[in-house]
Amino acid sequence: MRNNFYNKEGIHLSVIQKEPLWTKSFIMLMVGNLFVFMSFQMLIPTMPPYIQSIGASGFEIGLVTALFSIGAILIRPFIGYLLEYKTRKPLVLVGAAALLFITMLYPISKLVLVFLLFRFIHGLAWGWSTTVNGTAAVDVIPNSRLGEGMGYFGLSVTIGMIIAPSLGIFLFQATSFTNLILLSAALGVIALILLAIVQYQTPKSVKNVKKDELTFSLKDSLIEKTSWFPAFITFMTSFGYGSIVTFIVIFGEERGIDKIFLFYFLNAILATCSRPVAGKWFDNHGPKGIVLFCSFLTFLAMWVLSFAHSNLMVAIAGALFGIGFGCLIPTLQSWALSMTPANRRGVTNGMIFSSIDLGIGLSGIVFGAVASFFDIETIFQISSVFLISALPLTVLYGKKKVVREQQTISS
């Protein structure tokens, strides 16, 4: 069966007549976004042990993730509104510059309160940048290759989320937090330069809109109704992933695992190899099969990690997680965007990233609070329930959708 696709001018395309994907703009945007994520993500696993070293309590360690996520969520409705009528380039560069600036402030944060304030501001900048960059990517990807294109663009997110933390852990343990910040800032400078070179495309439906024709609505700028389900699944799985972000370094120290970075390293390799395949599968067969398969793999990976007492077990868990979680999040994002009108893609991207940040942020608070009652092994096992939640929910969603379609036809 031949699928129907249309390019940005509304011209019908067959699956055989593919529009070019690997343009200069797409490559530069993808690489620039990779450096944005590497600059940021290499700090993530080192934040909890660093703030612990300056006297933070267990609850305050949880706030490191939570306050950041709150900042990101608060800014996204406003950036989603701006994306409905603003051109892309200024918004992209402002976000990258803000991330670079706040990163360079961290070395002066010797007080817990100041550190937490910086994390909140960092969250605002992160929410801005991720929403704008993701929307800019959708604008330059041909509609007929959306799943494949977002799959490759998702690699810039996935690789940054996975390689950078292992590098951050290594530098934090081998040198100092200040040196880690210096490298992170250097990557941020490279990202800013690359993103400045990109030739951005803004949809006509956005260019033709004037600011005075729009009325800001917090609800409409925060939620896109057509794609709520992928966003909800993204929230649930991110909640499960949040326990790894918060506790994996501390878990490695407690178990005496000296190469905990192997989790992220193997994660990166397998995600890199599997994500393009998943993207093409999405374009040809849809998202549900990938979502079900990857949900199970992330569940399995979490249980392997919880029982790990050696570098080998950590590596196996990382490999499974790379295929599962590494494909799951980009697939959910592509699913959501494929259901969204062009002028609302900024809102949908904001909703997806807010779902990630809200899930990870709440996870930090919840599991940080219960860390006094359970060991980290048990916390990982509890988290696994949320990682596999996509499996039954997607099955139920599919059945309800079929029932609705049948009722519509019969009426």
Side-chain angles (χ1 to χ4, degrees), residues 13-33:
L13 299 165
S14 71
V15 294
I16 299 175
Q17 298 171 319
K18 291 185 176 180
E19 296 176 278
L21 173 63
W22 294 102
T23 61
K24 179 181 177 181
S25 293
F26 178 68
I27 294 172
M28 298 301 288
L29 182 59
M30 186 173 69
V31 177
N33 195 64

Side-chain angles (χ1 to χ4, degrees), residues 184-196:
S184 176
L187 294 174
V189 171
I190 296 173
L192 188 58
I193 294 172
L194 292 173
L195 293 173

